[in-house]
Amino acid sequence: MDAFAPSISLQRGALLLDFSSLRDPSRRLPLAGWEKQFGISSISTFKIFPRTFYKSTSKKALNGPISVRIKSSSLSEALTEISSGKDSANPLSGDEIRQRFLQFYASRSHAILPSASLVPDDPTVLLTIAGMLQFKPIFLGQVPRQVARAATSQRCIRTNDVENVGRTSRHHTFFEMLGNFSFGDYFKREAVTWAWELITMEFKLPPKRLWISVFQDDDEAFSIWHKEVGVPAERIKRMGEDDNFWKSGVTGPCGPCSEIYYDFHPERGCLDVDLGDDSRFLEFYNLVFMQYNKTDDGTLEPLLQKNIDTGMGLERMARILQKVPNNYETDLIYPIIEKAAELARVPYPEANEQKKAHLKIIGDHMRAVVYLLSDGVLPSNLGRGYVVRRLIRRVVRTCRLLGIRDGKDESEGAFLPEIAGKVIELSSDINPDVKDRSAHILEELKREELRFVQTLERGEKLLDQLLENALAGAAGNGSARPSLSGKDVFLLYDTFGFPVEITSEIAEERGVSLDMVGFDLEMENQRQQSQAAHNAVKLSVATAVSELTSIPHTEFLGYETLSAKATVQGLLLDGKPAKEVLEGNEVEVLLNRTPFYAESGGQVGDCGFLYILGTGDTANSIVEVKDVKKSNGSLFVHKGIVKQGLVEVGKDVDAAVDANLRNRARVHHTATHLLQSALKLIIGEATSQAGSLVDFDRLRFDFNFHRSLSEHEILEVEGLVNRWISDATPLQTQVMPLVEAKKAGAIAMFGEKYEDQVRVVEVPGVSMELCGGTHVTNTSEIRAFKIVSEQGIASGIRRIEAVAGEAFFDYVNVRDNVLKNLSTTLKVKAEEVTTRIENLMEELKQARNEISALRAEVAVCKASIIESQSFTCGTPATRILIESMDDLDADSLKTAAEFLINKLEDPAAVVLGSCPGEGKVSLVAAFSPKVVEQGIQAGKFVGKLAKICGGGGGGRPNFAQAGGKKPENLPQALEAARTEILSLLSKSVK
């Protein structure tokens, strides 16, 4: 940031800004910027020095140092304010601000925890939107705290205000939230005094520039700020519930909050101050005092464990300390903007406001895209994938608006990888993993960009035509506001990949609105296929279990045994706690210990039985367990049905896992590890897991790769896995610290959240992964492996389905039976089945061709018969033939029309219709050149007729086909054709 700032000194009653030491002349701040920032009223003198400094208004070269007057009653005070922080020429970098924040709280006994992934372990949100999200289960009392105090720098994504990015000084999609947290430890006094100490002593912000907001009824917070910290009462604002009261939901933990604002213009005084005035204030630190529980009737009850949740926007703090006019010009984002400006050949300081806004959008969105891709989110049309695809496409379009269209040759002309390279370069202190994943990030960006550019060019032409039609239509019928139909918006989205937001932006530029109601109707089916139902299930389980607050965590015994004695700790009937559940009811059982594996890491939950013993060794009651899931971290919920008797809380049970199904699952799980290792060897180390399913009857493995696997590659992968199986290698498992496991090279499974201590499963010399699943003890137990299918499921994501162990033999047996039946039916040997089927298909093809030829001959014969029924109309005389041809199929009808238009002399018009089947209508229109020259087009003409028959269609001006679903309306359509053609020919004569 030293390239932005001059050296500052006080000489002869004036503040001297010396620009002669600037290292990078290309990044000088325009003089007008310094005038606004430092309150310069006028330039009094300047001297000649080697460096030049350009005045933005006249582009006149001024040579530093420049002596200026300051709008301040005390020049020394102004110098102190301008030089606050590290020093004015070398302010704190974003990385230094982050480090100082964490060190400050580390010195106050806070555990420094890593940022959580942007893909949260929370079904209620798509992405990590706040610093406190990873601690939400602790705040809600669902899991116990591991530490009493914590501090983090959390990567966050929010896209609800994406339209404001680049337009305001502070809105972002990607940002870092610095936070300090207390879980039932310290509270309001410590949070307030430490926050003040941090910002005034550590970051040296002038106290006179700081304002405080508190909840209107929070007298305690007001008193701490005013009496203990010393903030003048006139700079503490009481605000309402909408601004200064945090809630986790309609009910649950909540509490007042206090926000700290920086004042860029203290000279405006303290009267009639509005802290929402963005031109003067910037809120940069929020302290939430979680002290109440809101009940169903709205009552606020004091929490037994009071918590602190704070958030300081890193980008906002950098803006303040680095003294730049907006967040984008901090060293966290500006280097990315510079890279985009370089590609656009538009130096940022010289760009107009619109181009600066475009460059800011690029700088912001590229950060979001790179970190999303790094965390495993790949472009698609659903959920998180849609977020990243939407952002990538906004960047591409914005770059094209700036004239950026080509990148380096090694990127096949894509330019996003060049900009992303700068983001990756800046990532070391944010997330070191980004550099390790850079190859994958850049390749995915290149593919998505090139794919979108192709559809963008086609879609842009279509959108341009649709907008012209909308404007013309509005002008023709006198509509006040032209509108694009919901069907057209959906077509652009579904076929051409245009995010609705981009369509909206382009349409808005042309003055056209969108029919969003119609679009939402078109989108209804896709929305119903979203993960909302799955999320709702998870939430209901978590909510119900959370009511059983006294139940301890479940001890898992399933690595060592498949049966164990346990005690029923809790029961859920229809999602509600129960003391007993009777025979025939579905039930959820919570045990103190269990051998049942709960669904996680892609592996399905175990099945089996719970036996409640009566007198002797006889089972008095039996619960069939059909699935097991985790809730609240480590509570195992056994979902099943009471098959006999009743189950009661407090009863002892014998828990028995279905050994056959468990064996099938563990075989498939170990085979999945071998499959991933084989893929890395055959198609490249860059490939990585994007999802998995370990089931009893198959395994499914999703991985990042840009093309389908060849048949040879599939055979190589199969062969390699089967070779490792035959090697009979013993597996090794051990528990170790997460840091050590990663250093040892263990691969983390996609989407999993790991504790400090992790379980490592290793096939020596082949695979090492962090995994809590169940596995074979020796690879020979897998017996055999077969890939069943390989296909693409999303952009850049492939899916392999495979079988191993018993499932392999089931698969082979089914296929063998099918082959035997085919051999019997075709009366050939098994090895001759393929040849026989190929011969039959060739015979079928020939038969179909012969049938088509015969149908064409019949169509021509029928056409010859009706040729004489044509009549003449108009000047010049035009031969017209409009007839029904009974049940001719569409191809035959086309043949008849082509025959007739060639037989009739030009000018001529032929319109034919038929009903080739139940609920089917075929229509065709053929016009000769002279008819087309009169402005009568076959495509538009036949399209109108098709609507009468409940269908649609179109084609070329001289020949078009259409279809319908209402055969009963064909006579009406042909009569309409007769009336319409006569009318059109009459008009052309006039």
Side-chain angles (χ1 to χ4, degrees), residues 697-715:
D697 61 347
R698 64 194 164 102
L699 69 87
R700 188 178 72 207
F701 186 77
D702 300 340
F703 58 101
N704 302 311
F705 203 54
H706 61 280
R707 61 170 175 83
S708 60
L709 270 63
S710 67
E711 186 175 344
H712 177 69
E713 287 171 328
I714 291 175
L715 289 173

Side-chain angles (χ1 to χ4, degrees), residues 241 247 249-254 292-296 298-301:
E241 184 174 339
K247 298 181 287 290
V250 178
T251 61
C254 57
Y292 299 115
N293 176 59
K294 190 173 184 180
T295 62
D296 291 334
T299 303
L300 295 179
E301 300 174 342

Side-chain angles (χ1 to χ4, degrees), residues 80-86 91-92 97 100 195-212 231 235 260-264 282-285 312-313 316-323:
T80 300
E81 290 191 6
I82 293 171
S83 301
S84 64
K86 191 175 179 181
L92 290 175
I97 295 170
R100 287 200 182 189
W196 187 257
E197 183 181 349
L198 172 69
I199 61 179
T200 59
M201 302 299 290
E202 183 69 28
F203 292 135
K204 297 182 170 56
L205 294 185
K208 292 184 178 180
R209 285 184 178 262
L210 300 175
W211 288 67
I212 309 298
V231 179
R235 292 215 306 274
I260 307 176
Y261 293 77
Y262 187 81
D263 186 356
F264 291 104
L282 179 67
E283 183 265 308
F284 66 95
Y285 203 178
M312 173 188 286
R316 298 186 182 197
M317 195 61 176
R319 172 190 173 187
I320 294 169
L321 293 177
Q322 294 172 9
K323 300 188 180 301

Side-chain angles (χ1 to χ4, degrees), residues 16 127 136 194 246 359 540 692 717 731 798 844 979:
L16 195 68
L127 296 163
K136 180 179 170 183
W194 284 341
W246 178 87
L359 290 167
S540 65
S692 69
V717 170
L731 272 70
R798 310 295 302 176
L844 180 61
T979 303

Side-chain angles (χ1 to χ4, degrees), residues 492-511:
L492 289 163
Y493 165 82
D494 192 51
T495 304
F496 295 95
F498 263 64
V500 178
E501 295 76 15
I502 289 182
T503 302
S504 178
E505 289 176 10
I506 297 173
E508 189 65 32
E509 292 169 2
R510 300 279 293 275

Side-chain angles (χ1 to χ4, degrees), residues 231-308:
V231 179
E234 62 269 19
R235 292 215 306 274
I236 305 175
K237 290 289 183 182
R238 293 181 183 266
M239 302 181 74
E241 184 174 339
D242 290 343
D243 296 301
N244 281 68
F245 197 90
W246 178 87
K247 298 181 287 290
S248 62
V250 178
T251 61
C254 57
C257 62
S258 186
E259 296 173 325
I260 307 176
Y261 293 77
Y262 187 81
D263 186 356
F264 291 104
H265 297 285
E267 72 278 2
R268 296 182 187 175
C270 298
L271 295 177
D272 299 323
V273 166
D274 177 12
L275 294 180
D277 180 1
D278 286 349
S279 68
R280 177 174 176 181
F281 295 104
L282 179 67
E283 183 265 308
F284 66 95
Y285 203 178
N286 184 21
L287 316 178
V288 176
F289 311 125
M290 213 177 296
Q291 63 189 81
Y292 299 115
N293 176 59
K294 190 173 184 180
T295 62
D296 291 334
D297 62 3
T299 303
L300 295 179
E301 300 174 342
L303 284 174
L304 295 177
Q305 176 179 296
K306 297 180 179 180
N307 305 308
I308 289 293

